[in-house]
Amino acid sequence: MGGTPERDSGPAEPGPEQRGGDDPGARAPAPAGTDTGPGEPARAESLTDLLGGRRGAIDATLPPLAFAVGWLVGGESLWGGVGAALAVGAVVAGVRLRRGDRPRSVLIGLLAVCVAALIAVRTGRAENFFLIQVLSNAASALAWTVSIVVRWPLLGVLVGAVLGQRSRWRRDRALLRGYSRASWVWTATYLLRLAVFVPFYLGGQVLALVVARVALTWPLVAAALALSWVVLRRSLPPGHPGLRHPVAPPR
C-alpha cells in the first residue's frame, strides 16, 4: 500500500462488570474486534498497530517533492527535477536500510523512482514522472475490487500475513465479511486518487500533481486505516475474540 496514523490511544472497554452484579469478578463480554488471548486482558488492537505504514507513506512523498523543487529551481528543467528526485530517493533508501526496513522493499521503492525518472526523461514531459503513480493506482483499484469479488479481500490477506494466519481467517465468516467490507474503503482511496491525478496529468499540471501526491498519500492512508478499522469492528458480532483469533465454523 504504497504503501499509517498514530497508535490507537483509545482505551479498551473495561472488563469487570460490577453494576448490580453479585459476582464482582464477573467479566462482561468483550466488544467486537477486541483481541482476547488466553489469560490476557482484553485490548483493542487497531489496523494501525498491525500494519503500520506511516513512515513508508511519508518516505514515498519525498522524491516527488524533490522533483518539484529541482524542476522549479532549474527554471522548469526536467533534468533538475530528475536529478533532485534521484538524489533524495537514494538518501531515503539509505535511511530505510539503516532503520532495518527489508532490502527488497527498499529496492522496489528506489526502482520506482528510477523508472519514473527514466520515463520523464525519455518522453521529455515532466508530468510523466507521475505516470507510474497513476497506473499503479488504477491497478490497485482493480486488484482490490477483484479480491473482494472472489472472496479473498486483500485487507484480510495483508493482516493474515502479518499475524501468521495464512488462510485461517477465511474460515471465520464474520472476519471474511468484515475484511470484505473494509477492503471497499481501500478500493475507494485508489479511485479517489485516480479521480484527482488523471485530470492534472492530462493537463500537464506538475505542481498540482505534487500537491495531490502529498495530500493523498499519508493523510489518505491514515483516514483509510481509521475508517476501515471502524467498518471491520462493526462487522464483527458481539463477543467476537478479535482478529488474532479466527472462529472456525462448527463441523
Side-chain angles (χ1 to χ4, degrees), residues 90-149:
V91 171
V92 169
V95 171
R96 291 182 63 191
L97 286 173
R98 287 195 60 183
R99 73 185 182 206
D101 287 9
R102 293 181 179 180
R104 180 179 178 182
S105 174
V106 173
L107 289 176
I108 290 175
L110 182 59
L111 180 61
V113 177
C114 293
V115 173
L118 179 61
I119 294 174
V121 170
R122 291 294 298 270
T123 61
R125 298 175 59 188
E127 63 268 26
N128 277 346
F129 183 82
F130 302 89
L131 179 58
I132 287 183
Q133 183 72 13
V134 174
L135 295 178
S136 66
N137 277 279
S140 296
L142 178 61
W144 280 75
T145 300
V146 171
S147 76
I148 298 167
V149 171

Side-chain angles (χ1 to χ4, degrees), residues 184-212:
W184 282 118
V185 175
W186 291 91
T187 304
T189 65
Y190 296 114
L191 294 175
L192 174 60
R193 289 192 185 110
L194 284 174
V196 175
F197 289 157
V198 170
F200 290 153
Y201 172 76
L202 295 177
Q205 300 181 49
V206 176
L207 294 183
L209 282 167
V210 174
V211 173

Side-chain angles (χ1 to χ4, degrees), residues 8 33-35 44-47 50 182 224-234 243:
D8 187 0
T34 302
D35 285 298
E45 186 171 38
S46 70
L47 291 177
L50 297 173
L225 279 165
L227 181 56
S228 58
W229 174 235
V230 171
V231 171
L232 178 54
R233 286 194 64 180
R234 290 185 176 179
L243 308 185

Side-chain angles (χ1 to χ4, degrees), residues 13-69:
E13 295 188 20
E17 182 72 23
Q18 300 180 1
R19 293 177 300 195
D22 294 330
D23 182 4
R27 290 183 177 273
T34 302
D35 285 298
T36 54
E40 297 177 357
R43 69 185 183 89
E45 186 171 38
S46 70
L47 291 177
T48 304
D49 297 322
L50 297 173
L51 299 181
R54 181 181 65 163
R55 292 185 304 184
I58 293 175
D59 291 346
T61 64
L62 295 180
L65 278 173
F67 178 86
V69 172

Side-chain angles (χ1 to χ4, degrees), residues 50-51 102 154-169 179:
L50 297 173
L51 299 181
R102 293 181 179 180
L154 281 176
L155 185 60
V157 173
L158 292 172
V159 175
V162 170
L163 298 180
Q165 295 173 344
R166 297 188 179 180
S167 62
R168 284 192 297 117
W169 57 272
Y179 281 133

